[in-house]
């Protein structure tokens, strides 16, 4: 059962989605600096080491509870942290950024469906409407406001991988409901370790294919950022927000990720802010507001 504290949850979700969005920019900067599985594995090396230090006392106190639920931890860390990122990076090789953004933007609706299917609790109409509006905002952003771009889209292997990735992250979000009764720090530390353990065999496989690339000096700097912020801090904030307002409502905010990507592209890459981007941001924020009307009435 969640504890209702929307104001605090909204702040956590804004910061978390900002870091999620920054991961997109960091991922683009990492191209040529390291291989995909190097990112997936080493980011969790950094996060696991940090969490082991930060949560060392809590880990010792709560390790027995965590140990008893270790199969669950391996599944959640492997699904939500390892497999999702692998599918995300793999899809980028065979599909366009437009398709990826549109499919990823549908994740909140997938969360609603998975939540209803697993828990039997279906959200009210306004929440569905809010989620739909936010997806429209993502579509506007991804298509640059061009209907012709949308008409010409075609699905391929990369699109299917992104659809699976969205479903997997929705399952992970809903699965947080059954997490072990340990502190958030201990839980994230366990997930980071589980993600690391599940990513090692895949990194070995990439090396066996001769495709593993250790980070360059610039790559290590990028990797440090990814390991501390998108991999660690945003996960803690997202977890806490789910505890406060529930998985379905928290999932709606996931659509802010591509919007923050636009903002960061303007700030970091100095790209011009087009009118379509402003419309997209307004739709996403408006959709979130609509989905929350029932809580203010």
């Amino acid at each position: 059962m969640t504890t209702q504290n929307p104001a605090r949850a909204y702040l956590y979700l804004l910061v978390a989605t900002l870091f999620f969005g920054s991961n997109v920019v960091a991922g683009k900067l990492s191209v040529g600096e390291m291989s995909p599985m190097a990112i997936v594995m080493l980011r969790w090396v950094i996060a696991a080491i940090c969490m082991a230090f930060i949560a060392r006392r809590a880990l010792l106190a709560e390790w027995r509870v965590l140990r008893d639920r270790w199969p669950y931890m391996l599944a959640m860390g492997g699904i939500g942290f390892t497999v999702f990122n692998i599918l995300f990076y793999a899809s980028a090789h065979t599909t366009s950024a437009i398709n990826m953004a549109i499919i990823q933007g549908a994740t909140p609706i997938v969360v609603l469906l998975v939540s209803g299917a697993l828990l039997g609790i279906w959200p009210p109409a306004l929440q569905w409407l809010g989620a739909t509006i936010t997806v429209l905002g993502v579509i506007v952003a991804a298509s640059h406001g061009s209907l012709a771009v949308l008409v010409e889209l075609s699905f391929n292997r990369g699109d299917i991988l992104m659809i699976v990735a969205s479903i997997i992250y929705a399952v992970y979000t809903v699965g947080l409901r059954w997490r072990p009764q340990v502190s958030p720090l201990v839980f994230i530390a366990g997930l980071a370790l589980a993600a690391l353990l599940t990513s090692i065999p895949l990194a070995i496989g990439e090396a066996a294919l001769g495709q593993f690339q250790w980070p360059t000096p610039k790559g290590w700097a990028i990797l440090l950022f990814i390991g501390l912020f998108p991999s660690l801090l945003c996960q803690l904030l997202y977890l806490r927000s789910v505890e406060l307002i529930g998985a379905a409502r928290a999932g709606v905010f996931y659509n802010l990720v591509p919007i923050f990507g636009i903002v960061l592209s303007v700030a970091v890459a100095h790209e011009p802010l087009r009118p379509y981007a402003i419309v997209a941001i307004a739709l996403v924020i408006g959709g979130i507001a609509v989905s929350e009307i029932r809580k203010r009435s």
Side-chain angles (χ1 to χ4, degrees):
M1 185 175 182
T2 58
T3 302
Q4 299 297 315
N5 194 335
R8 183 180 299 177
Y10 298 159
L11 176 60
Y12 291 165
L13 285 165
L14 285 174
V15 177
T17 50
L18 173 62
F19 287 139
F20 273 127
S22 70
N23 189 40
V24 176
V25 177
K28 291 182 180 179
L29 294 176
S30 70
V31 174
E33 307 296 336
M34 66 194 106
S35 62
M37 277 311 306
I39 302 175
V40 174
M41 181 182 71
L42 294 176
R43 67 186 289 185
W44 297 118
V45 170
I46 295 172
I49 291 174
C50 290
M51 287 306 305
F53 176 77
I54 295 172
R56 59 189 184 281
R57 294 182 181 177
L59 277 169
L60 290 174
E62 303 180 55
W63 173 249
R64 180 172 296 182
V65 178
L66 202 63
R67 181 194 61 190
D68 292 342
R69 296 290 306 281
W70 192 242
Y72 167 89
M73 297 299 297
L74 279 175
M76 289 291 283
I79 291 173
F81 287 3
T82 300
V83 176
F84 171 80
N85 284 292
I86 291 172
L87 292 172
F88 182 86
Y89 291 126
S91 68
H93 292 282
T94 54
T95 191
S96 67
I98 291 176
N99 289 39
M100 289 177 66
I102 292 175
I103 297 169
Q104 187 178 20
T107 299
I109 289 182
V110 179
V111 171
L112 296 179
L113 291 172
V114 172
S115 181
L118 295 180
L119 307 179
I121 303 175
W122 297 96
L126 277 177
Q127 195 169 349
W128 280 106
L129 177 61
T132 302
I133 293 174
T134 59
V135 170
L136 289 176
V138 174
I139 293 174
V140 170
S143 65
H144 292 195
S146 173
L147 180 61
V149 172
L150 294 176
V151 172
E152 294 174 0
L153 288 178
S154 60
F155 286 83
N156 55 31
R157 179 173 176 272
D159 297 317
I160 295 174
L161 290 176
M162 272 305 302
I163 292 172
V164 175
S166 295
I167 295 173
I168 284 176
Y169 202 81
V171 171
Y172 163 78
T173 300
V174 175
L176 292 174
R177 182 184 181 93
W178 295 285
R179 74 180 184 87
Q181 295 303 306
V182 294
S183 64
L185 278 178
V186 170
F187 183 59
I188 295 299
L191 287 177
L193 177 58
L196 172 59
L197 293 176
T198 54
S199 66
I200 289 175
L202 298 171
I204 293 175
E206 187 180 64
L209 295 174
Q211 299 175 352
F212 187 89
Q213 177 191 347
W214 285 100
T216 63
K218 178 182 177 181
W220 280 112
I222 296 171
L223 191 61
L224 184 62
F225 173 83
I226 294 175
L228 293 178
F229 293 97
S231 301
L232 181 60
L233 184 56
C234 74
Q235 298 294 342
L236 288 169
L237 294 175
Y238 186 73
L239 171 64
R240 182 55 180 154
S241 70
V242 170
E243 291 179 335
L244 291 172
I245 62 174
R249 293 174 66 192
V252 175
F253 283 75
Y254 192 78
N255 270 316
L256 282 174
V257 174
I259 299 303
F260 276 130
I262 294 173
V263 174
L264 291 172
S265 294
V266 173
V268 177
H270 306 292
E271 296 180 355
L273 182 60
R274 306 291 186 186
Y276 75 83
I278 298 174
V279 173
I281 293 173
L283 283 171
V284 170
I285 295 176
I288 293 173
V290 169
S291 71
E292 293 300 314
I293 288 177
R294 65 188 182 89
K295 289 298 178 181
R296 296 194 297 268
S297 59

